[in-house]
Amino acid sequence: MKTSVSDLATTAIAPVIWGSTYLVTTEFLPGFSPMTVAMLRALPAGLILMMIVRQLPSGIWWLRAFVLGALNISIFLGMLFVAAYRLPGGVAGTVLSSQPLIVVILASLLLSSPVRLSNIIGALVGMGGVALLVLTSSAALDAIGVAAGLAGATSMALGSVLARKWRPPVSPLTFTAWQLTAGGLLLLPAVPIARQPIPVPTASNLLGLAWLGLIGAALTYALWFRGIGRLPPSVVSSLLFLSPLTAVLLGWSLLGQTLTVLQIVGIALVIGSIWLSQRTNT
Protein backbone atom coordinates (compact mmCIF):
# COMPACT_ATOMS: atom_id res chain seq x y z
CA MET A 1 0.00 0.00 0.00
CA LYS A 2 1.35 3.41 -0.97
CA THR A 3 1.76 6.02 1.72
CA SER A 4 0.15 9.40 1.00
CA VAL A 5 2.08 12.37 2.37
CA SER A 6 -1.16 14.22 3.14
CA ASP A 7 -2.60 11.21 4.98
CA LEU A 8 0.66 10.81 6.88
CA ALA A 9 0.74 14.48 7.91
CA THR A 10 -2.93 14.51 8.93
CA THR A 11 -2.58 11.35 11.00
CA ALA A 12 0.58 12.67 12.66
CA ILE A 13 -1.42 15.53 14.19
CA ALA A 14 -2.99 13.06 16.64
CA PRO A 15 0.18 11.79 18.40
CA VAL A 16 1.64 15.30 18.38
CA ILE A 17 -1.37 16.56 20.34
CA TRP A 18 -1.31 13.47 22.57
CA GLY A 19 2.21 14.51 23.52
CA SER A 20 0.67 17.36 25.52
CA THR A 21 -1.23 14.92 27.78
CA TYR A 22 1.45 14.64 30.46
CA LEU A 23 1.93 18.41 30.71
CA VAL A 24 -1.81 19.14 30.81
CA THR A 25 -2.48 16.40 33.36
CA THR A 26 0.26 17.46 35.77
CA GLU A 27 -0.22 21.22 35.37
CA PHE A 28 -4.02 21.46 35.11
CA LEU A 29 -5.43 18.33 36.80
CA PRO A 30 -3.62 17.68 40.10
CA GLY A 31 -5.64 15.67 42.61
CA PHE A 32 -7.70 13.73 40.07
CA SER A 33 -7.58 9.93 40.04
CA PRO A 34 -6.34 8.21 36.85
CA MET A 35 -9.72 6.60 36.10
CA THR A 36 -11.56 9.87 36.65
CA VAL A 37 -9.31 11.69 34.19
CA ALA A 38 -9.68 8.85 31.67
CA MET A 39 -13.49 8.88 31.97
CA LEU A 40 -13.77 12.67 31.79
CA ARG A 41 -11.52 12.67 28.75
CA ALA A 42 -13.61 10.11 26.85
CA LEU A 43 -17.29 10.23 27.79
CA PRO A 44 -18.15 13.95 27.39
CA ALA A 45 -16.28 14.08 24.08
CA GLY A 46 -18.07 10.95 22.89
CA LEU A 47 -21.50 12.27 23.82
CA ILE A 48 -20.82 15.59 22.08
CA LEU A 49 -19.78 13.76 18.93
CA MET A 50 -22.85 11.50 19.14
CA MET A 51 -25.05 14.59 19.18
CA ILE A 52 -23.24 15.85 16.08
CA VAL A 53 -23.28 12.65 14.00
CA ARG A 54 -26.68 11.39 15.26
CA GLN A 55 -25.98 7.83 14.16
CA LEU A 56 -26.05 4.73 16.35
CA PRO A 57 -24.32 1.44 15.55
CA SER A 58 -26.39 -1.33 14.00
CA GLY A 59 -26.14 -5.11 14.03
CA ILE A 60 -22.70 -6.50 14.81
CA TRP A 61 -21.32 -2.99 15.18
CA TRP A 62 -22.90 -2.62 18.63
CA LEU A 63 -20.58 -5.36 19.87
CA ARG A 64 -17.62 -4.15 17.85
CA ALA A 65 -18.06 -0.56 19.05
CA PHE A 66 -17.83 -1.70 22.68
CA VAL A 67 -14.93 -4.08 22.00
CA LEU A 68 -12.96 -1.32 20.26
CA GLY A 69 -14.10 1.24 22.82
CA ALA A 70 -12.72 -1.01 25.56
CA LEU A 71 -9.40 -1.61 23.79
CA ASN A 72 -8.72 1.86 22.35
CA ILE A 73 -10.34 3.98 25.06
CA SER A 74 -11.21 2.31 28.39
CA ILE A 75 -8.24 0.01 28.90
CA PHE A 76 -5.72 2.16 27.06
CA LEU A 77 -6.57 5.47 28.77
CA GLY A 78 -7.05 3.82 32.16
CA MET A 79 -3.67 2.09 31.99
CA LEU A 80 -2.05 5.19 30.46
CA PHE A 81 -2.97 7.35 33.44
CA VAL A 82 -2.13 4.59 35.97
CA ALA A 83 1.34 4.40 34.41
CA ALA A 84 1.63 8.19 34.31
CA TYR A 85 0.78 8.54 38.01
CA ARG A 86 2.96 5.61 39.20
CA LEU A 87 6.03 6.09 36.98
CA PRO A 88 8.28 9.01 36.10
CA GLY A 89 7.25 10.42 32.74
CA GLY A 90 10.34 8.99 31.08
CA VAL A 91 9.74 5.42 32.19
CA ALA A 92 6.05 5.62 31.28
CA GLY A 93 6.87 7.01 27.83
CA THR A 94 9.46 4.33 27.16
CA VAL A 95 7.15 1.47 28.19
CA LEU A 96 4.30 2.82 26.07
CA SER A 97 6.62 3.23 23.08
CA SER A 98 6.60 -0.56 22.73
CA GLN A 99 3.24 -0.22 20.94
CA PRO A 100 4.60 0.08 17.36
CA LEU A 101 6.52 -3.19 17.76
CA ILE A 102 3.40 -4.90 19.14
CA VAL A 103 1.38 -3.59 16.18
CA VAL A 104 3.85 -5.14 13.71
CA ILE A 105 3.39 -8.53 15.39
CA LEU A 106 -0.40 -8.32 15.69
CA ALA A 107 -0.82 -7.05 12.13
CA SER A 108 1.09 -10.10 10.93
CA LEU A 109 -1.16 -12.44 12.92
CA LEU A 110 -4.54 -10.78 12.24
CA LEU A 111 -4.08 -9.03 8.90
CA SER A 112 -1.45 -11.29 7.30
CA SER A 113 0.74 -8.22 6.89
CA PRO A 114 4.35 -9.08 6.03
CA VAL A 115 6.83 -8.71 8.88
CA ARG A 116 9.58 -6.65 7.32
CA LEU A 117 12.94 -6.43 9.03
CA SER A 118 12.97 -2.69 8.40
CA ASN A 119 9.69 -2.30 10.36
CA ILE A 120 11.14 -4.17 13.33
CA ILE A 121 14.39 -2.21 13.17
CA GLY A 122 12.42 1.03 12.88
CA ALA A 123 10.34 0.17 15.95
CA LEU A 124 13.44 -0.74 17.99
CA VAL A 125 15.28 2.40 16.87
CA GLY A 126 12.25 4.47 17.82
CA MET A 127 12.11 2.88 21.26
CA GLY A 128 15.81 3.62 21.69
CA GLY A 129 15.21 7.23 20.66
CA VAL A 130 12.37 7.57 23.15
CA ALA A 131 14.58 6.12 25.89
CA LEU A 132 17.25 8.74 25.18
CA LEU A 133 14.59 11.44 25.09
CA VAL A 134 12.88 10.74 28.36
CA LEU A 135 14.86 8.43 30.65
CA THR A 136 17.11 9.87 33.35
CA SER A 137 19.58 8.30 35.75
CA SER A 138 17.05 8.86 38.56
CA ALA A 139 14.24 7.06 36.74
CA ALA A 140 12.58 4.53 39.04
CA LEU A 141 10.68 1.38 38.19
CA ASP A 142 7.34 0.41 39.69
CA ALA A 143 6.04 -3.06 38.82
CA ILE A 144 2.39 -2.04 38.71
CA GLY A 145 3.18 1.04 36.64
CA VAL A 146 5.28 -0.91 34.14
CA ALA A 147 2.59 -3.62 33.87
CA ALA A 148 -0.05 -0.94 33.31
CA GLY A 149 2.02 0.70 30.59
CA LEU A 150 2.55 -2.60 28.76
CA ALA A 151 -1.14 -3.48 29.12
CA GLY A 152 -2.15 -0.09 27.70
CA ALA A 153 0.26 -0.36 24.77
CA THR A 154 -0.95 -3.88 23.95
CA SER A 155 -4.60 -2.89 24.28
CA MET A 156 -4.42 0.01 21.84
CA ALA A 157 -2.20 -1.97 19.47
CA LEU A 158 -4.85 -4.70 19.31
CA GLY A 159 -7.63 -2.12 19.00
CA SER A 160 -5.86 -0.37 16.12
CA VAL A 161 -5.31 -3.61 14.22
CA LEU A 162 -8.91 -4.75 14.75
CA ALA A 163 -10.20 -1.34 13.60
CA ARG A 164 -8.24 -1.85 10.37
CA LYS A 165 -9.45 -5.46 10.02
CA TRP A 166 -13.15 -4.70 10.58
CA ARG A 167 -13.26 -1.43 8.55
CA PRO A 168 -16.34 0.44 9.87
CA PRO A 169 -19.09 1.35 7.37
CA VAL A 170 -19.23 4.94 8.65
CA SER A 171 -17.13 8.10 8.65
CA PRO A 172 -14.10 8.38 10.98
CA LEU A 173 -16.02 10.98 13.05
CA THR A 174 -18.94 8.61 13.63
CA PHE A 175 -16.57 5.74 14.35
CA THR A 176 -14.79 7.93 16.91
CA ALA A 177 -18.10 8.92 18.53
CA TRP A 178 -19.07 5.27 18.98
CA GLN A 179 -15.75 4.31 20.56
CA LEU A 180 -15.38 7.32 22.86
CA THR A 181 -18.95 6.92 24.13
CA ALA A 182 -18.64 3.15 24.63
CA GLY A 183 -15.21 3.51 26.22
CA GLY A 184 -16.36 6.32 28.51
CA LEU A 185 -19.40 4.31 29.65
CA LEU A 186 -17.19 1.32 30.43
CA LEU A 187 -14.95 3.58 32.54
CA LEU A 188 -17.83 4.87 34.69
CA PRO A 189 -17.84 1.90 37.12
CA ALA A 190 -14.07 2.25 37.60
CA VAL A 191 -14.31 5.80 38.96
CA PRO A 192 -15.82 4.94 42.40
CA ILE A 193 -13.43 2.00 42.75
CA ALA A 194 -10.57 4.50 43.01
CA ARG A 195 -12.18 5.85 46.21
CA GLN A 196 -10.79 9.28 45.44
CA PRO A 197 -13.40 12.06 45.37
CA ILE A 198 -13.58 14.20 42.27
CA PRO A 199 -12.33 17.69 43.19
CA VAL A 200 -14.59 20.69 42.65
CA PRO A 201 -13.32 21.80 39.23
CA THR A 202 -11.50 25.11 38.97
CA ALA A 203 -11.19 27.17 35.81
CA SER A 204 -7.81 25.58 35.06
CA ASN A 205 -9.27 22.09 35.65
CA LEU A 206 -12.06 22.78 33.15
CA LEU A 207 -9.55 24.15 30.65
CA GLY A 208 -7.41 21.03 30.99
CA LEU A 209 -10.40 18.70 30.65
CA ALA A 210 -11.66 20.62 27.61
CA TRP A 211 -8.28 20.27 25.93
CA LEU A 212 -7.95 16.55 26.73
CA GLY A 213 -11.54 15.80 25.72
CA LEU A 214 -12.37 18.01 22.76
CA ILE A 215 -8.93 18.33 21.19
CA GLY A 216 -7.02 15.40 22.70
CA ALA A 217 -9.83 12.87 22.16
CA ALA A 218 -12.65 13.97 19.84
CA LEU A 219 -10.43 15.57 17.19
CA THR A 220 -7.35 13.39 17.48
CA TYR A 221 -9.11 10.02 17.54
CA ALA A 222 -11.09 11.00 14.42
CA LEU A 223 -7.79 11.79 12.65
CA TRP A 224 -6.18 8.63 14.03
CA PHE A 225 -8.92 6.26 12.88
CA ARG A 226 -8.98 7.98 9.50
CA GLY A 227 -5.28 7.21 9.22
CA ILE A 228 -5.77 3.60 10.30
CA GLY A 229 -8.17 3.14 7.40
CA ARG A 230 -5.78 4.65 4.84
CA LEU A 231 -2.23 3.78 5.89
CA PRO A 232 -0.35 0.53 6.61
CA PRO A 233 -0.47 -0.41 10.33
CA SER A 234 3.32 -0.19 10.74
CA VAL A 235 3.35 3.36 9.34
CA VAL A 236 0.48 4.53 11.57
CA SER A 237 1.97 3.00 14.71
CA SER A 238 5.42 4.51 14.02
CA LEU A 239 3.86 7.97 14.31
CA LEU A 240 3.22 7.28 18.01
CA PHE A 241 6.89 8.06 18.63
CA LEU A 242 5.95 11.69 18.02
CA SER A 243 4.10 11.79 21.37
CA PRO A 244 7.14 11.54 23.70
CA LEU A 245 9.07 13.77 21.29
CA THR A 246 6.36 16.44 21.60
CA ALA A 247 6.26 16.00 25.39
CA VAL A 248 10.01 16.66 25.65
CA LEU A 249 9.86 19.68 23.36
CA LEU A 250 6.91 21.14 25.30
CA GLY A 251 8.79 20.68 28.56
CA TRP A 252 11.82 22.41 27.06
CA SER A 253 9.88 25.32 25.53
CA LEU A 254 7.18 25.90 28.18
CA LEU A 255 8.55 24.56 31.46
CA GLY A 256 12.18 25.58 31.08
CA GLN A 257 13.50 22.00 31.05
CA THR A 258 16.93 21.39 29.61
CA LEU A 259 17.62 19.61 26.32
CA THR A 260 20.78 17.48 26.51
CA VAL A 261 22.98 16.11 23.74
CA LEU A 262 21.58 12.62 24.34
CA GLN A 263 18.04 13.94 23.96
CA ILE A 264 18.98 15.59 20.66
CA VAL A 265 20.36 12.21 19.52
CA GLY A 266 17.05 10.68 20.66
CA ILE A 267 15.12 13.19 18.54
CA ALA A 268 17.20 12.18 15.50
CA LEU A 269 16.55 8.47 16.18
CA VAL A 270 12.78 9.02 16.53
CA ILE A 271 12.61 10.95 13.27
CA GLY A 272 14.78 8.34 11.60
CA SER A 273 12.56 5.47 12.75
CA ILE A 274 9.45 7.18 11.34
CA TRP A 275 11.25 7.86 8.05
CA LEU A 276 12.38 4.23 7.82
CA SER A 277 8.88 2.89 8.44
CA GLN A 278 7.37 5.28 5.89
CA ARG A 279 10.07 4.56 3.29
CA THR A 280 9.48 0.81 3.60
CA ASN A 281 5.86 1.25 2.53
CA THR A 282 6.31 3.65 -0.39
Side-chain angles (χ1 to χ4, degrees), residues 99-113 153-159 161:
Q99 185 175 328
L101 185 59
I102 298 172
V103 166
V104 171
I105 297 171
L106 291 177
S108 173
L109 295 174
L110 299 178
L111 303 177
S112 298
S113 298
T154 303
S155 178
M156 190 172 180
L158 178 57
V161 172

Side-chain angles (χ1 to χ4, degrees), residues 32-83:
F32 284 75
S33 74
M35 294 304 170
T36 297
V37 175
M39 185 275 293
L40 291 176
R41 181 177 189 175
L43 186 55
L47 293 175
I48 290 173
L49 288 184
M50 287 297 293
M51 288 188 291
I52 293 173
V53 301
R54 297 180 179 272
Q55 184 176 357
L56 293 173
S58 61
I60 190 63
W61 277 101
W62 277 105
L63 175 61
R64 289 179 176 179
F66 273 90
V67 169
L68 294 174
L71 292 171
N72 288 320
I73 308 300
S74 305
I75 299 174
F76 173 68
L77 290 183
M79 294 300 97
L80 167 69
F81 286 112
V82 168

Side-chain angles (χ1 to χ4, degrees), residues 183-240:
L185 290 173
L186 292 173
L187 280 166
L188 274 177
V191 174
I193 294 176
R195 296 182 179 180
Q196 184 173 341
I198 301 177
V200 177
T202 63
S204 62
N205 293 156
L206 293 175
L207 182 61
L209 289 171
W211 174 263
L212 291 179
L214 299 178
I215 306 301
L219 172 63
T220 55
Y221 272 106
L223 297 176
W224 186 249
F225 291 124
R226 176 185 178 275
I228 286 175
R230 298 186 178 207
L231 300 169
S234 60
V235 172
V236 177
S237 63
S238 71
L239 296 175
L240 291 169

Side-chain angles (χ1 to χ4, degrees), residues 1-275:
M1 177 183 292
K2 298 295 183 181
T3 299
S4 163
V5 174
S6 61
D7 287 338
L8 194 69
T10 302
T11 307
I13 294 173
V16 167
I17 292 176
W18 289 338
S20 67
T21 297
Y22 184 76
L23 182 148
V24 172
T25 301
T26 55
E27 297 297 317
F28 291 86
L29 299 170
F32 284 75
S33 74
M35 294 304 170
T36 297
V37 175
M39 185 275 293
L40 291 176
R41 181 177 189 175
L43 186 55
L47 293 175
I48 290 173
L49 288 184
M50 287 297 293
M51 288 188 291
I52 293 173
V53 301
R54 297 180 179 272
Q55 184 176 357
L56 293 173
S58 61
I60 190 63
W61 277 101
W62 277 105
L63 175 61
R64 289 179 176 179
F66 273 90
V67 169
L68 294 174
L71 292 171
N72 288 320
I73 308 300
S74 305
I75 299 174
F76 173 68
L77 290 183
M79 294 300 97
L80 167 69
F81 286 112
V82 168
Y85 278 102
R86 296 189 68 99
L87 295 171
V91 178
T94 303
V95 173
L96 288 164
S97 72
S98 62
Q99 185 175 328
L101 185 59
I102 298 172
V103 166
V104 171
I105 297 171
L106 291 177
S108 173
L109 295 174
L110 299 178
L111 303 177
S112 298
S113 298
V115 179
R116 295 186 174 94
L117 180 60
S118 57
N119 291 143
I120 295 176
I121 293 175
L124 293 175
V125 169
M127 290 177 65
V130 170
L132 291 178
L133 273 172
V134 296
L135 284 180
T136 65
S137 59
S138 60
L141 295 179
D142 173 89
I144 295 176
V146 170
L150 289 174
T154 303
S155 178
M156 190 172 180
L158 178 57
S160 297
V161 172
L162 286 178
R164 175 59 180 263
K165 180 180 178 66
W166 289 338
R167 291 188 179 268
V170 293
S171 69
L173 192 65
T174 301
F175 191 39
T176 301
W178 291 354
Q179 291 187 73
L180 283 173
T181 303
L185 290 173
L186 292 173
L187 280 166
L188 274 177
V191 174
I193 294 176
R195 296 182 179 180
Q196 184 173 341
I198 301 177
V200 177
T202 63
S204 62
N205 293 156
L206 293 175
L207 182 61
L209 289 171
W211 174 263
L212 291 179
L214 299 178
I215 306 301
L219 172 63
T220 55
Y221 272 106
L223 297 176
W224 186 249
F225 291 124
R226 176 185 178 275
I228 286 175
R230 298 186 178 207
L231 300 169
S234 60
V235 172
V236 177
S237 63
S238 71
L239 296 175
L240 291 169
F241 291 128
L242 291 172
S243 287
L245 171 59
T246 302
V248 169
L249 293 178
L250 286 175
W252 169 68
S253 61
L254 299 180
L255 302 180
Q257 298 173 354
T258 58
L259 196 61
T260 65
V261 173
L262 284 180
Q263 286 177 312
I264 295 174
V265 173
I267 290 173
L269 289 176
V270 166
I271 295 174
S273 72
I274 296 172
W275 173 85

